[in-house]
């Protein structure tokens, strides 16, 4: 949740942590696009208490948000942030890392390389979208490369799963103590998945990997906490399967991008937040490739 202070005062994020397991809290993002009304705070953030300090999984969209997370960590755990894991490159999850020292920020080697290449490219767009919410924000490159399948921070063991599909470099984290799977944007729940860097076949493989893990509950990258092991994972897979079939059929039928964006959405997704918005974005992301594959140029031979 985001609150704007009175006229002439600084903008401020209001974070509402919900305890979902022993020593583990979820800070929910808005189920909406990035916009000034929410300060870009649309991603779910997980906070875990350890004896060494708080562990964060993802950092939100801005320096201002990261600073609010750091203050919340001290209030909930009595300690500063000891480790911040970034799950992927998208700025609603990553730019808040500017509030933390580089040696406490962890990412896979593949994600670090992706952030070096593409991370700063989101900056202009975020500043245009969010204005003063972004004041002072510059993405900080992680100083800790994840090279082990598990890491223990302050007595809390976290299993780390480098995957891909939503982006080229995704990370899922399993808190061994509680069986909570923090899936990043590999899993959406009650909110349509976004696809700006998606590879749908690879994403489906990642979802199968996550479903097979020994976990009890799931924190998705967007949408409400899933108290079951598989409902959110299966819903994400269902949407991706429908999306690919629908866009493939539309391209084969010769529909243009506007017509594809107006396709009917199945009733089972009727209550899903941002469904039409993400369908239209996915048309922009995926349709040109589908058209090129299914409708080759007549002068190509």
């Amino acid at each position: 949740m985001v609150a704007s202070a009175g006229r002439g005062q600084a903008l401020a994020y209001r974070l509402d942590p919900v305890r979902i397991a022993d020593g583990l809290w979820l800070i929910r993002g808005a189920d909406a696009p990035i916009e000034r009304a929410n300060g870009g705070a649309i991603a779910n953030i997980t906070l875990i208490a350890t004896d060494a300090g708080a562990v964060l999984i993802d950092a939100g969209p801005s320096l201002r948000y990261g600073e609010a997370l750091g203050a919340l960590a001290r209030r909930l755990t009595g300690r500063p942030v000891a480790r911040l894991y970034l799950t992927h490159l998208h700025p609603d999850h990553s730019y808040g890392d500017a509030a933390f020292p580089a040696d406490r920020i962890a990412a896979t080697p593949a994600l670090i390389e992706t952030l070096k290449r593409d991370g700063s490219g989101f900056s202009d767009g975020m500043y245009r979208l969010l204005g003063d919410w972004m004041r002072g924000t510059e993405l900080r490159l992680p100083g800790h490369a994840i090279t082990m399948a598990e890491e223990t921070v302050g007595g809390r063991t976290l299993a780390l799963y480098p995957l891909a599909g939503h982006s080229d470099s995704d990370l899922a984290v399993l808190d061994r103590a509680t069986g909570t799977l923090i899936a990043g944007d590999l899993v959406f729940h009650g909110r349509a998945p976004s696809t700006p860097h998606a590879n749908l076949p690879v994403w489906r493989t990642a979802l199968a990997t996550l479903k097979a893990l020994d976990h009890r509950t799931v924190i998705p990258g967007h949408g409400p906490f899933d108290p079951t092991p598989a409902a959110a994972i299966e819903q994400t897979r269902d949407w991706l399967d429908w999306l690919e079939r629908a866009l493939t059929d539309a391209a084969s039928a010769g529909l243009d991008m506007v017509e594809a964006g107006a396709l009917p959405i199945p009733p089972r997704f009727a209550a899903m937040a941002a469904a039409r918005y993400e369908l239209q974005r996915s048309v922009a992301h995926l349709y040109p490739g589908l058209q090129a594959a299914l409708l080759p140029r007549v002068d190509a031979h």
Side-chain angles (χ1 to χ4, degrees):
M1 188 68 75
V2 179
S4 176
R7 187 178 180 88
Q9 297 180 342
L11 298 169
Y13 292 96
R14 186 177 73 250
L15 307 186
D16 299 319
V18 176
R19 185 178 180 275
I20 60 171
D22 183 30
L24 192 151
W25 293 264
L26 169 62
I27 301 101
R28 281 271 282 116
D31 293 326
I34 294 172
E35 55 192 15
R36 292 199 186 199
N38 55 43
I42 67 169
N44 290 340
I45 310 297
T46 302
L47 191 155
I48 303 173
T50 84
D51 292 340
V55 169
L56 293 174
I57 299 160
D58 284 330
S62 66
L63 171 64
R64 197 187 304 268
Y65 190 96
E67 291 172 340
L69 275 179
L72 177 66
R74 283 189 176 275
R75 179 166 67 82
L76 290 178
T77 71
R79 299 174 183 272
V81 171
R83 179 63 51 80
L84 162 62
Y85 292 100
L86 297 182
T87 63
H88 64 293
L89 80 160
H90 292 148
D92 52 318
H93 294 257
S94 57
Y95 269 57
D97 79 344
F100 304 99
D103 62 357
R104 299 184 190 180
I105 306 169
T108 65
L111 179 53
I112 292 171
E113 291 305 310
T114 299
L115 291 171
K116 286 179 181 177
R117 185 186 70 236
D118 299 330
S120 62
F122 291 104
S123 181
D124 288 348
M126 290 293 283
Y127 272 86
R128 284 195 297 271
L129 283 169
L130 298 179
D132 199 47
W133 286 108
M134 295 294 292
R135 183 183 293 270
T137 302
E138 291 186 15
L139 180 71
R140 181 159 290 161
L141 288 175
H144 176 75
I146 297 169
T147 59
M148 305 289 286
E150 289 189 345
E151 292 187 348
T152 300
V153 181
R156 197 103 178 200
T157 299
L158 304 170
L160 306 169
Y161 299 95
L163 297 165
H166 174 72
S167 71
D168 289 342
S169 306
D170 295 297
L171 176 71
V173 180
L174 175 59
D175 176 41
R176 293 287 193 199
T178 64
T180 306
L181 175 63
I182 304 102
D185 277 9
L186 289 168
V187 176
F188 287 65
H189 189 209
R191 201 268 191 206
S194 61
T195 60
H197 298 94
N199 181 316
L200 299 188
V202 173
W203 196 341
R204 281 191 285 266
T205 298
L207 290 171
T209 298
L210 295 180
K211 187 175 178 180
L213 297 178
D214 183 18
H215 66 284
R216 301 187 189 97
T217 61
V218 179
I219 295 177
H222 297 265
F225 170 67
D226 180 5
T228 77
I233 294 171
E234 291 172 352
Q235 186 187 67
T236 303
R237 172 65 187 260
D238 189 19
W239 173 273
L240 297 181
D241 288 348
W242 166 75
L243 178 70
E244 186 168 42
R245 285 194 305 270
L247 296 190
T248 299
D249 290 347
S252 298
L255 273 61
D256 64 26
M257 292 177 70
V258 173
E259 292 170 319
L263 288 170
I265 294 172
R268 65 186 183 278
F269 301 134
M272 186 178 279
R276 178 64 59 188
Y277 170 78
E278 291 298 354
L279 169 59
Q280 293 172 342
R281 290 183 75 212
S282 291
V283 170
H285 302 147
L286 304 175
Y287 213 59
L290 284 170
Q291 289 177 315
L294 295 168
L295 304 171
R297 290 169 57 105
V298 296
D299 61 352
H301 300 290

